[in-house]
Amino acid sequence: MTDVQQGAAGGPGPHPVQDRSREDAPRPERGPAPGEAPAPVERQGAGAPRRVAYLDVVRGLAMIGVVLMNAPSVVFPAEMTGERESTILTSVVDTGLSLLVSGKARAMLMVLLGVGAVLAWRSAVRRGGRPTAVMLRRYAVLGLLFGVPHLLVFDGDILTHYALAALLLAPLMPWLTGGTARRPAVAALALFAAAPFADLLLDSALGWQPLTAPLFHVPQTLGLFCVGVWLARRPELAPGGELVASRLPTLMLWTGLAVQVLGYGAMFAADVFFPMEMGADGVPVLGDDGMPVVPPGSPLLVSLASTLMGGGGALFYLGLVWWLVRRGRTASRLLGALAPLGRMTLTVYLGSTAVFLAVMGPLETAIPLLAQYGLAVAYFVVAVAFAHVWTGWFRLGPLEWVWRSLTYLRPMPMRRGTAGTDAGTAAGPGVGAGAAQGSVPVSGAALGAKVGRYGADGSEAESGQHGVGGSGGPPVSSQPEEDAPR
């Protein structure tokens, strides 16, 4: 939903800065590995680099998961209030979706925001600006203009929480983007360890209520942001790193799966070792907040389980999508159809709440849960089609344009050029990233070149031609930002 210090981002040695002549020169490409199918990439005009929309795809998938989980929260279904009995099909669908995406989709967005923060930071440093000021202004706008108003109509808002965590992250960016590439990973582990205790102290001091909800899980979110910073600094995502075979996607997939198993184990341990207090009638005893009374150790284990299941799920899906894009032509083309959706997630996210309130609001406590999920699916079918058309003509989504213009204190270019050289999609309406139109086969290992292309809002990163950068990776091109003539 939904953003990188070029000179200060340390690492195992900087890459030489390339000029335009080197960028335009042909570069060798590694062919597909045995059994590896070519992946779709976008054709962006003569002389333009080939790129694969991996980051956009995973952002679009994460947004689908978030909105699916929001559907029964924006408007309560009949099953939740007892107005309608839950059928077997309803229970299977609801439980299946909860196991697959609950907590995991939000964690994916947090990791992607960490990647985007690195992009925006390096872009500001390269232009000689003040990256801390830009980042503070960027997330202040996100929280105040979009997050707080959304929180007032939906207490499950994530924008205010993300903005608050990112504002706390801003002063740490010089430290996280410098030093060894392991530094953000170590910071993430420390924050994950502190998260359960921080939530317990906050709950005892303030208690949970809609207006204090954005304050909870901030250390967990900062830890996931740090995972995104670590991912952005990986050499596989540096300029030229796409030509190198890597086991990182497979490692992320299996590590994420193992971490999720640990999370479910922690949840089970909380029930076994810290059971709810039961009354004489066998009914759980409720506290003043209306929640079952449990021993102090239970919230700590539940918070730890939430971190493990969410973070593990994020790693699993990020690795799975990356692996699919590298390995299978059919899978990569199908997933690539979601890339335009991933470029306008702010618009799609806030639009979903408006649609749910308008359509389901009058039917609250009467609409079946399956009907809510059906509406969410229909919303995304329309949203994907709309995103394909919109990104064919415009560089930014409607709300993304407002966000970016206020961040940089000037109107951002909106219409795409007629030459078709705007990065991110092929020229002309309706041609989406990775879609069959405008796609050419190239080794799936080249997907890393695309990952650093977009900020956390799903729009193009502020610089024209840079990669995510491994440790201190430079811009691929010395071309100024998008205001420069093309």
Side-chain angles (χ1 to χ4, degrees):
M1 243 172 171
T2 157
D3 300 314
V4 194
Q5 181 177 36
Q6 179 60 42
H15 303 277
V17 177
Q18 301 177 5
D19 57 20
R20 292 297 294 179
S21 60
R22 279 189 70 179
E23 180 188 283
D24 294 337
R27 298 192 302 179
E29 292 185 4
R30 182 181 68 85
E36 181 179 28
V41 300
E42 300 163 10
R43 190 185 304 276
Q44 303 179 36
R50 295 172 173 181
R51 300 181 183 277
V52 179
Y54 164 70
L55 186 61
D56 300 312
V57 169
V58 292
R59 188 187 295 109
L61 284 173
M63 183 52 58
I64 290 175
V66 167
V67 172
L68 277 173
M69 292 295 97
N70 281 354
S73 301
V74 175
V75 175
F76 292 154
E79 289 85 350
M80 185 175 293
T81 59
E83 296 293 328
R84 181 187 180 96
E85 290 188 7
S86 180
T87 64
I88 295 178
L89 179 60
T90 300
S91 299
V92 169
V93 172
D94 187 47
T95 303
L97 287 175
S98 296
L99 289 174
L100 288 173
V101 299
S102 180
K104 303 171 180 64
R106 293 176 62 142
M108 285 176 65
L109 288 179
M110 297 172 195
V111 173
L112 293 172
L113 281 173
V115 175
V118 179
L119 295 180
W121 187 273
R122 285 182 177 165
S123 178
V125 169
R126 182 173 57 256
R127 296 194 314 273
R130 295 183 298 171
T132 302
V134 172
M135 188 169 176
L136 290 174
R137 190 164 57 243
R138 177 182 184 86
Y139 289 104
V141 171
L142 178 66
L144 295 176
L145 183 62
F146 301 109
V148 173
H150 189 236
L151 179 64
L152 295 177
V153 298
F154 174 45
D155 58 12
D157 167 73
I158 59 176
L159 300 179
T160 308
H161 176 78
Y162 287 175
L164 177 61
L167 290 173
L168 295 174
L169 180 71
L172 302 177
M173 286 298 292
W175 183 78
L176 290 172
T177 55
T180 66
R182 292 189 299 270
R183 179 178 288 180
V186 173
L189 291 176
L191 287 163
F192 289 151
F197 301 97
D199 285 343
L200 184 63
L201 290 174
L202 189 61
D203 184 53
S204 61
L206 299 178
W208 191 96
Q209 49 187 311
L211 292 182
T212 61
L215 301 177
F216 284 83
H217 308 305
V218 168
Q220 181 194 77
T221 299
L222 287 174
L224 292 167
F225 278 6
C226 289
V227 172
V229 175
W230 167 81
L231 185 61
R233 295 187 57 183
R234 288 286 304 180
E236 291 88 349
L237 301 183
E242 70 275 9
L243 303 179
V244 180
S246 173
R247 296 182 182 273
L248 180 60
T250 305
L251 179 64
M252 291 170 61
L253 192 159
W254 288 110
T255 301
L257 189 61
V259 171
Q260 288 183 81
V261 172
L262 290 176
Y264 287 112
M267 188 69 73
F268 177 75
D271 290 336
V272 172
F273 296 109
F274 303 101
M276 294 182 294
E277 184 178 337
M278 308 296 289
D281 55 357
V283 177
V285 177
L286 302 181
D288 295 336
D289 57 357
M291 300 297 293
V293 176
V294 293
S298 179
L300 292 176
L301 272 180
V302 170
S303 179
L304 176 62
S306 173
T307 299
L308 293 173
M309 289 187 291
L315 283 179
F316 173 80
Y317 284 117
L318 289 169
L320 177 63
V321 173
W322 194 346
W323 182 82
L324 287 173
V325 169
R326 291 169 64 100
R327 299 291 297 181
R329 174 181 296 180
T330 301
S332 61
R333 289 187 184 278
L334 291 174
L335 291 169
L338 297 176
L341 181 73
R343 295 178 195 157
M344 45 193 305
T345 49
L346 180 62
T347 298
V348 170
Y349 175 66
L350 294 178
S352 69
T353 302
V355 169
F356 291 165
L357 288 174
V359 176
M360 299 189 298
L363 303 174
E364 186 160 26
T365 72
I367 184 171
L369 181 59
L370 287 180
Q372 291 186 309
Y373 287 140
L375 176 63
V377 171
Y379 173 78
F380 273 110
V381 171
V382 175
V384 169
F386 172 77
H388 272 267
V389 175
W390 182 275
T391 57
W393 287 106
F394 300 102
R395 306 182 63 203
L396 303 170
L399 297 184
E400 286 77 7
W401 179 84
V402 174
W403 183 18
R404 174 158 296 192
S405 297
L406 290 175
T407 297
Y408 293 99
L409 304 178
R410 67 180 186 275
M412 291 288 104
M414 188 65 163
R415 290 294 300 268
R416 290 196 175 277
T418 57
T421 56
D422 290 281
T425 62
V431 182
Q437 309 99 311
S439 296
V440 294
V442 70
S443 169
L447 68 90
K450 180 69 178 180
V451 175
R453 189 65 181 138
Y454 298 94
D457 55 358
S459 56
E460 293 177 54
E462 188 64 13
S463 164
Q465 301 278 346
H466 67 276
V468 170
S471 310
V476 176
S477 166
S478 57
Q479 179 89 357
E481 57 177 325
E482 67 255 71
D483 292 340
R486 297 179 179 273

